[in-house]
């Protein structure tokens, strides 16, 4: 049951030839010509081994290998093929090619499985075209209503529904993923962080996916002349923002427990060197795998904003934006994967995913497991994104043995 | 010797009819159609009272009232008529109309003066068209070489030299302002700050004009995923910048002595909510009327950048941009103006100008004095800019009596 690394390498190369920005990284937006090309390559490979291709709600694609008991719930595996603008060669692709190679081995080696095995490609995971991440899986799991697809548009004004139809999907198909028809979901993905590399692990097994709260915070002071306004007569919005940014780091460090909090964007108004900032607007991204800790972190930051602005007699506005609840993955599958990893004389790291994944939505429907492979220097969403082929191969073997175990078992 | 306030009001209204942006504030860029209109109005008024108009190097305009001893050094007064984009109705205009009204009174009341009295309008004080403040006075005082005028361009690519020629100036005239031909320079200007208003003064007498050092500071960290990078494994450029911004305020407050330091502009790279800032660039504007204190403030901030980035293992770049040395104005004229103010039963406030003015350059050539009148709420460079007419009248009277004293005296 050894996977063929040179075949995985070839798959990755072939998929990444479908790229709208060959001069800088990989850009493969959902339903674009490049995306349809990559989907075509993968579905052709799957048809070749006898899988049955279905076009599913939300623009997702499923390839099924029939099991000996074809009425039983299926074991699903896969990931996504869309990328961010100027992204890397591995994010999403690793999970799709791992599923493809695992399926090939199952067919070639005629590995018996009672349950159907489904290879799935989720659409618009990144949200780079329609500014809505996990869109395909949101529709398919019923988190987002089908009617919304006529309102969600790309920057050219093309709706998701229109793009789906052009890509050959039927928009009105509202059949959702059903718990009773699924045994499990498995996804291999690059870590997109540097924890595995730094700690010397080749495999990470995800216990939970962090919840995310995005906020926009605006501090309201008074714009004054930088030369004629004494220091003690200023209502400098940036000076307050600097204290808040400092507090955000201190709060996240103090709370610990995998809490991360980031200010990635900041701008002053009017934004001139010789004018005291009258307004400062910045983003806040807070994540934690535990809902209560996530909420209390956000509350502590809100309190800090209130205290700092109060002390300085400044106004503020805190606007909560999108939020994703934390998700615990399947303990049953985690234990199985730990066992399968150790069978290969490899010790896995149980870890938290700080990034969101389609599997987070699938976890509400079925037993779900995620396998992380190391990202070099933690780089992701950029041309420097890199994962060693032997680590992808190991992730694929682990996926294969786990899927086979789940598809064969009577549980 | 009472000035006529309704005439000043009319002058201000007439000048501000020459405005490229009547829908939002006042925009009168140097040598524009609107600027030439305002110059035409002022020179017509001055010609009417018998002043002799000269087109001077650098695009400045001088109107001379002959004295009884016409070979003696002249007493000069004036300000500028150009504005920032969408500026106010008083910045610059107040000094020009005060000089105009003072000249009218001198002629109408046949006030004897031995020395010539010159009314001057400096060009491109704001730098809003050619991105070079105090340009007219820089040329006329020899701080900037005439040949540079063929290289300095506006956003349409028109050089300052070309614009001067179209406005009727001779570009090759290199005659500089000479100390032996000047007795004094006087300028009335709005404060552009809120010190006079807050402290209840109607007149500020400027002891010194603050020196300015502009810098660009870049903090170099590492851009990482906001979800997958633990707090203790980040090289977050913004977290360091926040400590530096805090330190800038603390340093300026600790040093005191009229020190002001401002960060008016900041940006993160890549600038996305879900990416830890890899680079943060911000502006720094430091001002002090004392060169040694200005330098030591900048040095203390440099040290703070070094310490904070060192502690966090981040790189940084500090690029010094333009600098203007502090300028002490004439004690002789200051004392004279204090006396003239008190004669009106008004107590003046001796103060520092945090903003730059043409008078700062004139102070190198001749005894120079500046009179500030209050700005409502300190607002300036915006449509809300406002100074009460009675305060402008008081400033004008003070200008008049000081000019007359200086032009009549044998000193």
């Amino acid at each position: 049951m050894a996977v063929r690394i040179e075949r995985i390498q070839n798959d990755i190369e072939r998929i990444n030839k479908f790229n709208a920005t060959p001069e800088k990284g990989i850009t493969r937006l959902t339903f674009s010509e490049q995306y349809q090309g990559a989907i075509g390559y993968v579905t052709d490979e799957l048809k070749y081994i006898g899988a049955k291709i279905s076009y599913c709600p939300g623009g997702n694609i499923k390839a099924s290998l029939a099991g000996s008991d074809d009425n039983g719930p299926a074991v699903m595996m896969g990931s996504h093929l869309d990328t961010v603008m100027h992204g890397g060669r591995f994010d999403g692709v690793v999970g799709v090619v791992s599923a493809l190679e695992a399926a090939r081995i199952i067919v070639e080696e005629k590995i018996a499985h009672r349950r159907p095995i489904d290879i799935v490609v989720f659409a618009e995971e990144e949200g780079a075209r329609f500014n809505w991440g996990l869109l395909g899986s949101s529709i398919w799991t019923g988190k987002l209503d089908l009617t919304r697809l006529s309102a969600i548009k790309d920057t050219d004004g093309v709706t998701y529904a229109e793009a789906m139809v052009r890509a050959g999907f039927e928009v009105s198909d509202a059949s959702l993923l059903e718990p009773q028809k699924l045994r499990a979901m498995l996804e291999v993905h690059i870590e997109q962080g540097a924890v595995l590399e730094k700690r010397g692990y080749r495999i990470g097994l995800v216990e939970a996916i962090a919840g995310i709260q995005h906020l926009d915070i605006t501090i309201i002071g008074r714009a004054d002349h930088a030369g004629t306004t004494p220091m003690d007569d200023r209502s400098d919005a940036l000076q307050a923002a600097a204290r808040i940014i400092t507090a955000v780091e201190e709060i996240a460090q103090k709370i610990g427990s995998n809490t991360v909090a980031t200010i990635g964007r900041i701008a002053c108004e009017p934004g001139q060197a010789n004018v005291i900032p009258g307004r400062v607007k910045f983003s806040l991204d807070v994540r934690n795998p535990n809902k209560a800790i996530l909420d209390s972190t956000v509350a502590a930051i809100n309190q800090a904003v209130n205290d700092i602005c109060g002390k300085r007699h400044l106004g503020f506005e805190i606007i909560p934006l999108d939020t994703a609840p934390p998700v615990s993955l399947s303990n049953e599958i985690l234990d199985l994967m730990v066992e399968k990893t150790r069978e290969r004389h490899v010790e896995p790291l149980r870890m938290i995913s700080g990034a969101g994944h389609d599997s987070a939505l699938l976890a509400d429907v079925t037993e779900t497991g995620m396998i992380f492979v190391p990202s070099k220097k933690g780089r992701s969403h950029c041309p420097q994104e890199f994962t060693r082929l032997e680590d992808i191969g190991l992730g694929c073997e682990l996926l294969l043995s786990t899927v086979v175990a789940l598809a064969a078992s009577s549980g």
Side-chain angles (χ1 to χ4, degrees), chain A:
Chain A
M1 238 177 39
V3 302
R4 284 172 53 190
I5 279 192
E6 74 287 358
R7 218 156 44 179
I8 294 175
Q9 182 174 26
N10 180 57
D11 289 336
I12 294 172
E13 282 170 10
R14 292 288 296 274
I15 289 169
N16 285 321
K17 287 228 167 76
F18 298 104
N19 175 16
T21 57
E23 75 294 342
K24 189 184 171 196
I26 307 283
T27 304
R28 194 165 46 240
L29 301 184
T30 306
F31 304 136
S32 66
E33 183 193 327
Q34 295 79 29
Y35 183 82
Q36 294 302 109
I39 290 284
Y41 170 77
V42 171
T43 50
D44 282 352
E45 290 294 307
L46 287 163
K47 279 179 201 162
Y48 182 79
I49 59 168
K52 186 182 151 240
I53 310 295
S54 323
Y55 282 53
C56 307
N60 308 295
I61 294 217
K62 185 174 81 175
S64 295
L65 298 174
S68 55
D69 172 9
D70 219 23
N71 291 323
V75 176
M76 203 156 91
M77 57 179 170
S79 190
H80 63 96
L81 287 175
D82 63 309
T83 69
V84 296
M85 293 292 294
H86 307 291
R89 296 182 295 136
F90 301 93
D91 182 356
V93 172
V94 158
V96 173
V97 301
S98 293
L100 168 58
E101 177 62 12
R104 283 188 192 120
I105 300 291
I106 290 165
V107 172
E108 286 167 5
E109 301 195 7
K110 299 190 177 65
I111 297 169
H113 55 100
R114 294 198 317 116
R115 306 185 192 287
I117 293 174
D118 292 345
I119 299 92
V120 68
V121 181
F122 295 108
E124 191 70 352
E125 193 267 353
E126 300 287 3
R129 177 168 177 188
F130 294 93
N131 197 27
W132 198 300
L134 311 182
L135 185 44
S137 53
S138 294
I139 292 289
W140 208 8
T141 56
K143 296 273 189 294
L144 191 69
D145 194 79
L146 212 61
T147 58
R148 298 293 298 274
L149 298 186
S150 304
I152 297 173
K153 292 176 182 178
D154 70 8
T155 51
D156 292 331
V158 178
T159 68
Y160 196 86
E162 287 163 357
M164 262 181 76
V165 170
R166 287 183 210 167
F169 289 86
E170 197 193 318
V171 176
S172 59
D173 180 0
S175 56
L176 300 183
L177 281 170
E178 291 172 63
Q180 69 274 22
K181 290 188 180 167
L182 283 178
R183 169 66 182 91
M185 164 71 199
L186 294 166
E187 181 172 10
V188 180
H189 204 281
I190 60 169
E191 183 199 344
Q192 303 181 275
V195 174
L196 290 174
E197 183 185 67
K198 291 217 164 176
R199 300 183 57 181
Y201 287 89
R202 293 181 63 197
I203 291 290
L205 299 178
V206 180
E207 294 178 317
I209 297 173
I212 307 178
Q213 176 69 59
H214 282 129
L215 303 105
D216 264 352
I217 300 179
T218 303
I219 311 301
I220 303 152
R222 197 181 61 241
D224 284 309
H225 193 294
T228 61
T229 314
M231 294 307 288
D232 57 6
D233 192 28
R234 297 177 169 214
S235 297
D236 186 331
L238 184 61
Q239 286 294 343
R243 270 74 175 178
I244 294 165
I245 293 165
T246 296
V248 165
E249 188 185 69
E250 289 166 357
I251 289 167
Q253 281 171 335
K254 193 177 157 203
I255 292 178
S257 310
N258 293 303
T259 299
V260 288
T262 308
I263 291 104
R265 193 168 24 76
I266 186 167
C268 297
E269 274 179 43
Q272 289 169 231
N274 59 357
V275 182
I276 298 162
R279 268 173 185 260
V280 171
K281 189 173 173 179
F282 57 92
S283 62
L284 179 63
D285 174 308
V286 186
R287 306 191 190 206
N288 196 281
N290 177 298
K291 178 87 168 72
I293 298 177
L294 177 63
D295 291 347
S296 68
T297 306
V298 171
I301 293 171
N302 282 357
Q303 188 59 50
V305 172
N306 187 71
D307 291 349
I308 290 164
C309 290
K311 218 167 125 185
R312 290 179 167 253
H313 309 292
L314 302 180
F316 65 88
E317 237 176 54
I318 301 176
I319 301 174
L321 306 173
D322 55 304
T323 181
V327 173
S328 292
L329 299 189
S330 163
N331 279 326
E332 176 211 342
I333 291 185
L334 189 70
D335 290 343
L336 176 62
M337 293 195 300
V338 169
E339 184 193 315
K340 294 292 172 193
T341 313
R342 288 184 179 151
E343 277 175 11
R344 279 161 186 76
H345 309 292
V346 173
E347 186 58 29
L349 178 69
R350 285 163 178 261
M351 64 189 299
I352 298 302
S353 171
H357 295 286
D358 293 305
S359 287
L361 302 184
L362 270 293
D364 261 10
V365 183
T366 187
E367 299 291 310
T368 298
M370 279 197 85
I371 299 163
F372 274 177
V373 287
S375 292
K376 189 177 175 186
K377 292 188 180 169
R379 303 300 299 274
S380 183
H381 285 187
C382 61
Q384 292 77 30
E385 185 178 87
F386 183 76
T387 296
R388 296 189 316 159
L389 201 57
E390 50 268 47
D391 291 337
I392 299 171
L394 179 60
C396 180
E397 275 190 27
L398 181 55
L399 173 72
L400 171 60
S401 57
T402 308
V403 164
V404 168
L406 289 166
S409 71
S410 56

